[in-house]
């Protein structure tokens, strides 16, 4: 059961990492326009030969 | 002496030829690096392709640093270098690529809703993180308790849970703590008081249990409770925020600005919020007057239908008073803004609105009413449980555990989600049918309506005049008149051009201020405009007036031929007859209440087959009528668009206004509908009734759940596992039940362009991290 001493903190810090990532993306306004973000992902204007 | 007074007699008309600059400092915000940021409301954004078009189109312009489109709110934020490019060029560019845009007035925009929603989302994320992690520990402890967990491992898990749960609660429960403290200070009890007590007690007891090496701790219950409650609150807030954002965009698209004449004679376009009393404002032909004031120069006729409901235009000249929201005719006017004080129309309207709203303040939301009856029951049930177990001789710790279990299990998870979940789905349904909610409880009040009072002008009828008796007019002649009409900005001329379907104006059109437009085609002088300008015989006018008593007349003459008269007037909205008939069939009592003249209202009432109608009512008289209906025990839905309707919109039990309505009317009403049809009124009522039914169902589900769960909890059989399962289960049932609303009122196949992109409000992703 000593393994728990390592695993529990690891699990917690992974969760914290996710939480921090979420709060960061919230702060940088990435949830402001969910509809637009969905469309941006499938836009292909970064391919060569367009414009 | 101001510059205006020294100009020649028709200074107002001359000034119109100079294109006004815009006061950009009022519209833009400085960025830290010296660039400026401009927010635009964009027309025509419907899909992803539009987003790419606009961003690519703008980035290629020299001086534009960044452009980002927000599809959800139909706005674009542009950052530009002030020295390199003028904001006007950005607007021109937007129009050139096919997306006409209008700047936002930052003074009018409110951003507070977004902040509140963000704060709740942060709390929700933290509660989700804490809840998931603690639940992992708890599941291990529960399964270990029935098998082979050692006391040391259990203590370790409890301590880790405490380590996670304490900061989580301290952060994520703030919205509840704050609201509960505020309520207690007011000596009132709201839903947040039992929540706060329950969470705090559960945390304290769990900590004591952890320190005394007990078998059970309840950190997970407290956190799951917080998570579900925050979810309900976030959904509620998110629905309202979307409406607020949409309403702001609509307001910007309607561009509340005015052309101010500076002391040096220059013209500058300024947002209305920046205009001060004493400023001189130029009102060009065909424009809406943006301010209350006195005419200092020029002569014209004013269409006050949006302000008073009266559809016949009135002549105005030097010294006359004009009101915001009225529509200017052929002539240009210079208006001096009068001090905004007692006596102006808008002040009077605002006073009436404030009175009406304070009269209505007693009405309470369904959720609040439920909470008010619920909270004392929960409290006393928990307190009695504690006392009861003490009396039968239980240890205080054991009695407290059971009391907390009662507090938590009765607690309002299902209740907290019951109403917001339905509201969100209903708001999504309404959004997609082009109806925007202004008030969170509008749905409940809409569902209660049994009488519908319509304003006539602009609500039952088209806001713009239409050509009457079009079948009697020679189409070739109409087409020629329409091409000439394109040269004028006068509302009647524009209506004529629309009726003729004219696309290309005649060459060489000259506009004569206050009279009309003229051109020479193949050596023949053609003119369109005032009756005297075209030399119409009084007998012809009398005959036309007899045929269309409520219409405005406009004359057209080709060379020496006899002039032709066109009658333009209010026509009913395309689906008005069908919608009113449908509402009557559904058992609503219908009434028309208008500020317009008796003849015009009688005609509309006859066409719609409405027996109850009242004409020539001013705002106070309209409110008096609504009060009379209220005294009869009727719950009135008021549908209106004019400034004169605004107080009655606020006074009615619930109110709707079309998006073409006056600004004040929109903010006084509970919901706004898009498009030029009346069908949204019927749809709003359908959705609201279905939503209300589901809300009541959900409340009953919550009650039944409590009736089953509370006795079990009181008897002390609730283990943390059962509490968690029951709580999640009831929340899930309530949410799934709310989704049944999707079967009501499918969106129209031909959607209004602006509603099509509003998207799915029901699908709000809950951030969960673990």
């Amino acid at each position: 059961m000593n393994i728990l001493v390592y695993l529990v903190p690891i699990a917690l810090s992974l969760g914290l990492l996710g939480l921090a990532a979420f709060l960061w993306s919230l702060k940088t306004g990435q949830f402001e326009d969910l509809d637009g973000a969905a469309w941006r992902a499938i836009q292909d204007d970064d391919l060569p030969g367009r414009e | 002496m101001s510059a205006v007074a020294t100009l020649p007699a028709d200074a107002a008309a001359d000034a119109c030829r100079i294109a006004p600059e815009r006061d950009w400092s009022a519209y833009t915000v400085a960025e830290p690096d010296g660039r400026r940021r401009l927010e635009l409301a964009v027309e025509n954004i419907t899909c992803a392709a539009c987003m790419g078009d606009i961003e690519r189109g703008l980035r290629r312009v020299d001086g534009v640093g960044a452009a980002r489109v927000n599809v959800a709110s139909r706005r674009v934020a542009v950052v530009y270098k002030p020295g390199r490019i003028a904001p006007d060029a950005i607007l021109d560019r937007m129009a050139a690529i096919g997306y006409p845009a209008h700047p936002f007035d930052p003074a009018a925009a409110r951003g507070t809703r977004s902040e509140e929603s963000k704060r709740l989302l942060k709390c929700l994320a933290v509660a989700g993180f804490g809840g998931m992690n603690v639940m992992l520990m708890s599941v291990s402890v529960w399964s270990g308790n029935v098998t082979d967990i050692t006391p040391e491992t259990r203590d370790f898990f409890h301590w880790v849970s405490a380590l996670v749960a304490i900061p989580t609660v301290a952060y994520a429960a703030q919205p509840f703590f704050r609201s509960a403290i505020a309520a207690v200070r007011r000596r009132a009890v709201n839903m947040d008081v039992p929540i706060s007590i329950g969470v705090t007690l559960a945390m304290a007891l769990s900590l004591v249990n952890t320190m005394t090496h007990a078998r059970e701790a309840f950190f997970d219950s407290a956190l799951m409770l917080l998570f579900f409650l925050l979810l309900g609150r976030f959904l509620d807030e998110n629905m309202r925020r979307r409406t607020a954002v949409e309403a702001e965009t609509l307001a910007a698209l309607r561009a509340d600005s005015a052309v101010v004449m500076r002391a040096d004679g220059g013209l500058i376009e300024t947002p209305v919020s920046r205009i001060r009393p004493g400023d001189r404002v130029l009102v060009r032909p065909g424009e809406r007057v943006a301010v209350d004031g006195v005419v200092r120069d020029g002569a014209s006729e004013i269409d006050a239908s949006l302000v008073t409901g009266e559809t016949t235009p009135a002549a105005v000249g030097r010294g006359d008073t004009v009101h915001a929201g009225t529509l200017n005719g052929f002539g240009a006017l210079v208006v001096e803004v009068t001090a905004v004080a007692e006596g102006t129309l808008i002040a009077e309207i605002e006073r009436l609105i404030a009175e009406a709203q304070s009269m209505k303040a007693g009405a309470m939301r369904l959720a609040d009413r439920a909470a008010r009856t619920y909270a004392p029951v929960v409290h006393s049930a928990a307190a009695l449980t504690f006392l009861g177990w003490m009396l039968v001789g239980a240890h205080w710790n054991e009695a407290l555990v059971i009391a907390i279990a009662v507090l938590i299990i009765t607690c309002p998870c299902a209740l907290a989600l019951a109403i917001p979940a339905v509201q969100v789905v209903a708001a999504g349904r309404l959004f997609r049918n082009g109806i925007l909610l202004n008030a969170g409880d509008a749905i409940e009040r809409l569902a209660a309506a049994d009488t519908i009072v319509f304003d006539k002008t602009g609500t039952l009828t088209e806001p713009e005049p239409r050509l009457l008796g079009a079948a009697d007019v020679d189409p070739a002649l109409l087409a020629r008149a329409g091409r000439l009409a394109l040269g004028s900005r006068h509302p009647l001329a524009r209506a004529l051009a629309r009726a003729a379907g004219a696309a290309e104006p005649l060459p060489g059109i000259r506009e004569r201020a206050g009279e009309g437009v003229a051109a020479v085609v193949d050596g023949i002088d053609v003119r369109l405009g005032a009756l005297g300008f075209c030399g119409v015989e009084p007998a012809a006018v009398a005959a036309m007036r007899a045929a269309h008593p409520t219409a405005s007349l406009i004359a057209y003459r080709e060379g020496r031929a006899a002039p032709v008269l066109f009658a333009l007037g209010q026509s009913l909205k395309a689906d008005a007859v069908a919608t009113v008939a449908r509402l009557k069939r559904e058992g609503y009592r219908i009434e028309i209440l208008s500020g317009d003249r008796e003849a015009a209202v009688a005609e509309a009432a006859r066409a719609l087959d409405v027996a109850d109608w009242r004409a020539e009512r001013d705002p106070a008289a309209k409110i008096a009528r609504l009060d009379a209906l209220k005294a009869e025990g009727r719950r009135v839905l008021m549908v209106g668009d004019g400034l004169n309707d605004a107080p009655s919109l606020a006074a009615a039990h619930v109110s709707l206004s079309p998006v073409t309505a006056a600004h004040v009317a929109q903010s006084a009403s509970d919901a706004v509908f898009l498009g030029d049809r009346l069908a949204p009124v019927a749809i709003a009522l359908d959705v609201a009734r279905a939503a209300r039914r589901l809300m009541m169902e959900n409340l009953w589900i919550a009650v039944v759940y409590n009736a089953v769960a509370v006795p079990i909890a009181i008897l002390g059989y609730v283990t943390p596992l059962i509490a968690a399962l029951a709580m999640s289960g009831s929340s899930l049932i309530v949410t799934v039940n709310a989704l049944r609303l999707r079967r009501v009122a499918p969106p129209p196949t031909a959607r209004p362009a602006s509603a099509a992109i509003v998207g799915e409000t029901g699908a709000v992703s809950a951030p969960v991290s673990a």
Side-chain angles (χ1 to χ4, degrees):
Chain A
M1 279 299 178
N2 283 339
I3 192 71
L4 284 176
V5 178
Y6 302 102
L7 285 182
V8 167
I10 288 174
L12 278 179
S13 47
L14 281 178
L16 268 178
L17 210 65
L19 181 66
F22 175 77
L23 291 180
W24 172 79
S25 55
L26 184 68
K27 201 177 156 207
T28 52
Q30 302 195 31
F31 291 93
E32 303 275 297
D33 179 20
L34 292 174
D35 303 352
W39 288 112
R40 260 173 230 281
I42 57 166
Q43 249 176 14
D44 51 4
D45 56 7
D46 51 348
L47 296 179
R50 291 262 310 180
E51 272 291 297
Chain B
M1 209 61 204
S2 84
V4 176
T6 62
L7 290 170
D10 56 346
D14 281 348
C16 287
R17 297 203 184 98
I18 316 165
E21 315 165 37
R22 220 189 264 262
D23 180 9
W24 282 108
S25 62
Y27 286 105
T28 56
V29 185
E31 293 272 287
D33 57 359
R35 298 188 299 179
R36 293 194 79 84
R37 183 189 166 84
L38 173 66
E39 248 194 75
L40 301 170
V42 186
E43 292 174 32
N44 301 343
I45 292 193
T46 48
C47 62
C50 310
M51 186 173 72
D53 284 351
I54 296 171
E55 290 185 357
R56 245 175 289 133
L58 281 179
R59 275 196 207 112
R60 258 186 257 144
V61 179
D62 185 42
V64 171
R68 193 166 173 93
V69 174
N70 185 325
V71 181
S73 57
R74 277 176 293 154
R75 297 177 186 185
V76 56
V78 185
V79 177
Y80 67 97
K81 294 196 186 96
R84 296 274 290 282
I85 186 169
D88 286 303
I90 297 176
L91 286 194
D92 290 346
R93 176 79 188 159
M94 289 290 292
I97 55 179
Y99 301 95
H102 303 273
F104 268 96
D105 175 5
R110 309 148 288 174
T112 48
R113 280 265 177 235
S114 165
E115 284 309 304
E116 178 64 19
S117 164
K118 250 187 187 173
R119 219 162 49 91
L120 281 173
L121 195 53
K122 274 188 208 161
C123 288
L124 186 62
V126 171
F129 158 79
M132 292 301 151
N133 281 301
V134 170
M135 195 55 95
L136 266 177
M137 310 281 162
S138 303
V139 170
S140 311
V141 173
W142 301 333
S143 51
N145 274 349
V146 291
T147 51
D148 60 346
I149 197 167
T150 61
E152 293 75 33
T153 316
R154 185 167 57 215
D155 277 355
F156 172 69
F157 277 175
H158 279 167
W159 277 113
V160 174
S161 297
L163 200 71
V164 175
I166 290 168
T168 302
V169 168
Y171 181 82
Q174 279 178 40
F176 303 105
F177 288 160
R178 242 183 251 135
S179 153
I181 291 171
V184 169
R185 280 220 183 108
R186 283 198 314 271
R187 298 182 180 284
V189 173
N190 62 7
M191 195 64 124
D192 294 327
V193 176
I195 294 171
S196 303
I197 295 178
V199 168
T200 316
L201 273 181
M203 291 297 291
L205 185 78
S206 304
L207 205 57
V208 170
N209 279 4
T210 302
M211 287 193 271
T212 54
H213 314 287
R215 275 169 64 91
E216 263 141 22
F218 313 101
F219 295 113
D220 52 300
S221 308
L223 288 179
M224 292 307 279
L225 181 69
L226 266 187
F227 179 77
F228 280 115
L229 292 171
L230 282 166
L231 185 62
R233 207 151 289 197
F234 173 74
L235 290 180
D236 195 33
E237 184 62 36
N238 203 45
M239 182 202 80
R240 284 189 247 178
R241 185 180 65 97
R242 278 194 101 121
T243 309
V245 166
E246 187 71 10
E248 268 176 39
T249 305
L250 286 175
L253 285 177
R254 286 150 28 88
D256 272 335
S257 66
V259 178
V260 173
M261 303 184 90
R262 283 193 307 222
D264 61 4
L267 297 175
I268 190 153
E269 193 165 343
T270 312
V272 171
S273 61
R274 281 280 190 102
I275 292 174
R276 298 284 162 262
D279 284 351
R280 279 168 186 255
V281 170
L282 175 71
V283 184
R284 289 167 292 187
E287 257 183 5
R288 246 178 225 292
V289 183
V291 294
D292 270 19
V294 178
V295 176
R296 289 288 175 228
D297 203 359
S300 182
E301 50 182 30
I302 287 280
D303 170 6
S305 58
L306 197 54
V307 175
T308 59
E310 161 81 57
T311 42
T312 316
V316 292
R318 202 172 291 199
D320 287 334
T321 308
V322 290
H323 296 297
T326 55
L327 189 61
N328 187 20
F330 269 120
L333 297 171
V334 174
V335 175
E336 184 176 314
V337 182
T338 47
V340 181
E342 304 302 312
T344 61
L345 182 68
I346 199 82
E348 173 67 13
I349 297 279
E350 272 167 6
R351 189 183 62 74
L352 284 170
I353 291 177
E355 252 173 42
Q357 279 171 342
S358 67
M359 297 282 284
K360 213 166 75 172
M364 242 201 313
R365 305 177 56 185
L366 193 59
D368 291 344
R369 274 208 312 275
R372 180 157 297 193
T373 44
Y374 201 72
V377 175
V378 173
H379 281 149
S380 29
L384 287 176
T385 308
F386 179 71
L387 288 177
W389 279 93
M390 290 294 276
L391 282 181
V392 296
H395 186 251
W396 70 267
N397 187 302
E398 198 184 344
L400 196 56
V401 169
I402 295 168
I404 290 169
V406 171
L407 209 52
I408 285 180
I409 210 154
T410 48
C411 216
C413 267
L415 201 59
L417 279 174
I419 309 260
V422 178
Q423 270 181 350
V424 165
V425 183
R429 268 278 106 126
L430 292 174
F431 261 130
R432 298 212 273 153
N433 279 291
I435 303 156
L436 313 170
L437 292 175
N438 250 349
D441 57 341
I443 296 170
E444 296 150 41
R445 285 189 277 121
L446 264 175
D450 56 9
T451 304
I452 306 174
V453 174
F454 286 102
D455 167 51
K456 181 188 76 76
T457 317
T459 307
L460 290 170
T461 61
E462 301 277 356
E464 309 266 306
R466 286 277 166 108
L467 180 63
L468 302 178
D472 309 335
V473 182
D474 172 19
L477 183 86
L478 179 61
R480 290 197 297 274
R483 289 185 64 192
L484 182 58
L486 278 178
S488 170
R489 284 175 56 98
H490 191 279
L492 292 182
R494 278 192 292 185
L496 185 65
R498 229 183 4 252
E504 188 192 348
L506 287 174
I509 296 177
R510 287 167 291 115
E511 180 148 14
R512 296 248 207 108
E515 295 194 280
V517 284
V520 177
V521 181
D522 302 331
I524 303 171
D525 174 55
V526 292
R527 44 177 64 186
L528 174 84
L531 305 184
F533 178 61
C534 297
V536 183
E537 302 287 328
V541 177
M544 204 66 180
R545 285 239 184 277
H548 301 286
T550 60
S552 309
L553 301 183
I554 185 171
Y556 173 67
R557 175 175 184 168
E558 294 179 330
R560 300 195 171 277
V564 182
L565 280 175
F566 294 112
L568 292 145
Q570 308 265 313
S571 62
L572 290 175
K573 286 194 175 170
D575 62 347
V577 175
T579 306
V580 169
R582 174 177 163 194
L583 291 171
K584 271 209 263 183
R585 240 189 352 263
E586 285 174 16
Y588 291 101
R589 177 166 149 194
I590 312 278
E591 198 169 315
I592 298 176
L593 197 56
S594 173
D596 203 357
R597 284 161 308 118
E598 194 141 343
V601 183
E603 201 181 304
R606 199 172 49 243
L608 292 168
D609 191 23
V610 174
D612 269 338
W613 56 268
R614 284 163 179 76
E616 292 170 51
R617 292 291 196 268
D618 66 355
K622 285 189 173 186
I623 290 188
R625 176 64 195 148
L626 291 183
D627 284 345
L629 282 170
K630 198 187 283 173
E632 285 176 33
R634 296 257 157 197
R635 286 167 189 256
V636 180
L637 161 64
M638 171 89 197
V639 189
D641 75 324
L643 204 55
N644 63 331
D645 296 318
S648 31
L649 288 169
H653 187 68
V654 60
S655 50
L656 282 170
S657 64
V659 72
T660 46
H663 198 92
V664 183
Q666 277 184 14
S667 50
S669 66
D670 293 308
V672 174
F673 58 93
L674 309 175
D676 50 2
R677 303 173 77 82
L678 211 56
V681 175
I683 295 172
L685 287 166
D686 280 354
V687 173
R689 276 199 314 261
R692 162 116 190 162
R693 211 167 44 238
L694 284 174
M695 283 179 190
M696 294 314 288
E697 260 177 48
N698 272 355
L699 288 180
W700 278 113
I701 290 174
V703 167
V704 168
Y705 152 76
N706 279 318
V708 175
V710 170
I712 301 174
I714 289 177
L715 293 177
Y717 288 116
V718 173
T719 61
L721 178 65
I722 291 176
L725 284 180
M727 215 153 57
S728 315
S730 69
S731 302
L732 209 64
I733 291 172
V734 162
T735 311
V736 169
N737 193 38
L739 290 179
R740 293 200 305 142
L741 191 61
R742 290 180 183 231
R743 286 198 224 136
V744 184
T749 39
R751 293 179 189 175
S754 35
I757 57 88
V758 172
E760 187 60 67
T761 328
V764 180
S765 55
V768 175
S769 60

